[in-house]
Amino acid sequence: MKKIFLLFAAVCAFAACDPTQEDISNGGNITVDDLTAMTTVTVDKAPDGQNGNVITCKTSAPVNAKWTIGGKDFIGNYAWKKMKLGQHIVTITALCADGTELKADFPVECQVITDPLQRFWIYGEPGSGQEPFQPAAWDAAEMRFSDNEGKHLPFLSDDIYWGFKTLIFDITDATPDCAGRIMNGWWSARYDDDKDVQFTNGQWELQLTEAIAKDCARGNGGAGKDLDIMVTSGSCTINAVYYEE
């Protein structure tokens, strides 16, 4: 619990320097019911009344608050995020002054696109000349995100690593046995619970985490070991890699 409190305090202290963030008082202890009563999670509305795809979160609770939306964390009493269509669970984690941690879930549904997600290309942008490729099995250079030690994919910026972006891989031609591991280019850690993941046709998503950023980012405390996605069986075609916000 102490580690969680220090993390919240450090992040909130940093956020206080940002005029878009609001410093949060941590002057009292509350219950889960109190937290729920003082918290709102809403979805914007389309002209026809359907739920849009922008989630807005607010709390007036006197706590250090963290929101988890679509697998990403936001520190502060306010957060918003554009989402894909479908049902989502927004979780607020609140830390009281005595170190007690509270959590509350808020289910929401996004029915129509009111604010389209913007696509940020890492590989395969139309017109870039970057062609689809089939990564060879057990060749760690095929999908290593490195300008000098990879074969196709560029370095990922610190903004991508420390922004904990969700990488989207556009995959086709995947064989039923196509699988691989999520690791770093130094083979010193895996980020898949030591179990190969299955690659299937369509959009395969990889959420970047703090553990990945610490190992693979090239600055801001990263060790510069490069994210590496290595095919270990079967085959597939990688058409593009991007993230959306």
Side-chain angles (χ1 to χ4, degrees):
M1 189 64 63
K2 182 177 180 181
K3 291 182 178 179
I4 296 175
F5 178 80
L6 291 175
L7 173 61
F8 273 31
V11 175
C12 287
F14 174 80
C17 300
D18 183 347
T20 66
Q21 298 286 338
E22 181 177 342
D23 188 24
I24 300 171
S25 170
N26 196 20
N29 301 323
I30 62 172
T31 66
V32 171
D33 289 341
D34 295 331
L35 176 64
T36 302
M38 290 186 281
T39 300
T40 59
V41 175
T42 59
V43 184
D44 67 324
K45 295 293 184 178
D48 62 1
Q50 293 190 86
N51 289 346
N53 69 309
V54 180
I55 299 176
T56 300
C57 312
K58 300 178 182 179
T59 186
S60 60
V63 296
N64 290 328
K66 178 182 75 172
W67 307 88
T68 303
I69 314 172
K72 296 185 179 181
D73 293 337
F74 302 84
I75 303 296
N77 70 331
Y78 173 88
W80 75 276
K81 190 176 188 301
K82 292 189 289 186
M83 298 293 291
K84 295 181 179 179
L85 300 185
Q87 296 181 336
H88 307 283
I89 300 292
V90 175
T91 300
I92 181 173
T93 303
L95 193 69
C96 297
D98 64 354
T100 301
E101 182 182 290
L102 305 174
K103 286 190 177 183
D105 291 335
F106 297 83
V108 296
E109 182 178 7
C110 300
Q111 300 170 315
V112 295
I113 296 294
T114 49
D115 193 350
L117 290 164
Q118 184 177 354
R119 184 169 296 184
F120 297 87
W121 296 92
I122 296 170
Y123 182 88
E125 181 177 6
S128 68
Q130 296 171 331
E131 297 295 332
F133 64 93
Q134 290 189 328
W138 293 102
D139 186 342
E142 288 280 1
M143 283 200 287
R144 178 170 178 167
F145 287 89
S146 172
D147 290 336
N148 55 12
E149 298 187 74
K151 292 186 177 179
H152 305 280
L153 305 178
F155 285 130
L156 294 179
S157 70
D158 281 4
D159 287 343
I160 293 176
Y161 279 121
W162 291 112
F164 306 133
K165 308 300 185 185
T166 298
L167 303 186
I168 302 172
F169 294 72
D170 183 358
I171 298 176
T172 54
D173 307 318
T175 59
D177 61 340
C178 188
R181 65 178 56 174
I182 307 168
M183 61 180 194
N184 63 57
W186 290 13
W187 295 62
S188 59
R190 292 180 64 173
Y191 314 105
D192 51 18
D193 296 324
D194 292 323
K195 182 179 180 181
D196 284 6
V197 298
Q198 193 76 24
F199 299 130
T200 57
N201 291 328
Q203 279 66 49
W204 178 72
E205 298 187 359
L206 172 61
Q207 171 71 57
L208 298 183
T209 63
E210 184 177 10
I212 292 175
K214 284 183 175 179
D215 285 345
C216 302
R218 303 181 67 79
N220 300 303
K225 297 180 180 180
D226 299 331
L227 179 63
D228 202 336
I229 317 297
M230 184 176 68
V231 172
T232 56
S233 64
S235 63
C236 66
T237 297
I238 305 297
N239 299 296
V241 183
Y242 56 90
Y243 65 93
E244 294 180 324
E245 290 187 336

